[in-house]
Structure formats: C-alpha cells, structure tokens
C-alpha cells in the first residue's frame, strides 16, 4: 500500500503543472529528523492527520492543522513540512500552502516512514510510545511498533 502512495504522489506531481498547480517537493525522513533535532527555526511540521490519529501518537514537535490555522501568521516565513500516514493527505495540504504563497514540502514517507527509520513517537500526553494509527486496514506499522486501527482509538 505504501508503494501505491508513492506512485500516486508521483502522478500528482507530474500532473500538477498541467492543471495550474505547483509540484510539491519532498523531504526525507532523515532530513526532517535532523532539522527537528537541531530545532531548525525555518520549518514548521504540520501533522495533517485527524485528531483521532494524532491522539494515538505523532512525531515530536509536530502541530495539528487546527493549531497551524490558528497561528498561521506566525509561520509566514517558515517552510511548512506536511506529514500524514504515508504522504497523500500531506501532499494536498502542502499544495494548498503553496497556492497561498507559503513555502511547503511533503514528508511523503509520513509517520510510517518515520517509524520504519526507528524514530520516536509521542503519545498525546508527550510520553514516548510505539503505538501508531495506521489509517486503514491495508497499512501496517513496521516491526517494533503496534498498529492501532480506528476502532481502538
């Protein structure tokens, strides 16, 4: 299923210029982790997943879409890094940011790519966790992480 997301994003980026949209550049998990660790002030990580998904876990330092929207003016000169489960919803969010004149990139591997690289997740209370909401029954968390389907949230 992750390969399908990669193909989908590839086609969206390929078709974007033909429908008057910009291509969305990607950011790798490694680069994102490095920049977050350095507290890079030039980026803001926006987790575009639902509040149900974020309550299970999220990438440390990320903010929700609601928080982003309530503070959007603070982020005018920062690059918005959009992230979701595997990269589809975050591509759409990044595309909207670009249309609004902001800098934006897509963390296409999403939270599952973050887990696959062995990085830490935090629960809603900020404590470390190995639980990850996998969005649908076709996606699975990598080894060492627990998939949490919608009904268990």
């Amino acid at each position: 299923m992750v390969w399908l997301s990669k193909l989908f994003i590839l086609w969206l980026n390929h078709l974007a210029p033909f429908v008057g949209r910009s291509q969305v550049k990607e950011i790798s998990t490694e680069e994102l982790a490095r920049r977050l660790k350095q507290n890079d002030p030039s980026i803001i990580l926006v987790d575009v997943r639902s509040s149900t998904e974020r309550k299970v876990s999220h990438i440390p330092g990320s903010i929700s879409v609601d928080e982003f929207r309530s503070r959007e003016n603070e982020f005018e000169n920062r690059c918005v890094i959009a992230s979701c489960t595997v990269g589809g919803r975050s591509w759409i969010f990044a595309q909207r940011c670009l249309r609004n004149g902001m800098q934006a990139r897509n963390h296409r591997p999403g939270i599952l790519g973050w887990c696959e690289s062995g990085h830490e997740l935090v629960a809603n209370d900020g404590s470390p966790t190995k639980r990850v909401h996998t969005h649908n029954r076709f996606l699975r968390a990598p080894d060492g992480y627990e998939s949490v389907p919608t009904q268990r949230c």
Side-chain angles (χ1 to χ4, degrees):
M1 190 68 169
V2 174
W3 65 269
L4 187 58
S5 169
K6 185 175 184 176
L7 189 60
F8 178 67
I9 300 304
L10 179 72
W11 276 103
L12 284 175
N13 262 336
H14 180 72
L15 296 173
F18 296 105
V19 293
R21 302 290 184 240
S22 300
Q23 292 185 332
V24 178
K25 293 181 182 177
E26 293 183 1
I27 186 169
S28 69
T29 297
E30 293 75 25
E31 182 182 352
L32 177 60
R34 179 183 53 78
R35 292 177 79 175
L36 288 172
K37 185 177 181 178
Q38 295 172 341
N39 292 314
D40 184 341
S42 69
I43 66 167
I44 184 69
L45 177 59
V46 181
D47 185 337
V48 304
R49 298 174 307 138
S50 70
S51 60
T52 300
E53 292 169 281
R54 280 186 52 84
K55 284 179 186 173
V56 174
S57 65
H58 54 274
I59 297 171
S62 67
I63 64 171
S64 69
V65 171
D66 290 339
E67 183 176 353
F68 174 79
R69 288 189 178 132
S70 72
R71 300 173 48 204
E72 195 166 340
N73 292 341
E74 294 176 41
F75 309 127
E76 286 178 347
N77 297 317
R78 294 169 80 175
C79 181
V80 175
I81 307 296
S83 185
C84 63
T85 305
V86 292
R89 292 176 287 173
S90 54
W91 186 91
I92 293 167
F93 185 83
Q95 182 62 241
R96 286 184 189 138
C97 289
L98 289 171
R99 275 196 321 244
N100 290 332
M102 300 182 86
Q103 298 175 53
R105 292 174 70 184
N106 184 22
H107 178 228
R108 195 207 46 80
I111 198 166
L112 293 183
W114 184 264
C115 294
E116 199 169 272
S117 292
H119 294 292
E120 182 180 84
L121 296 175
V122 292
N124 209 31
D125 65 3
S127 63
T129 185
K130 292 289 187 175
R131 300 177 77 226
V132 62
H133 191 287
T134 50
H135 185 62
N136 64 45
R137 63 187 172 100
F138 300 109
L139 297 174
R140 300 274 183 261
D143 290 343
Y145 292 83
E146 175 190 353
S147 292
V148 179
T150 301
Q151 59 271 26
R152 287 186 50 203
C153 294

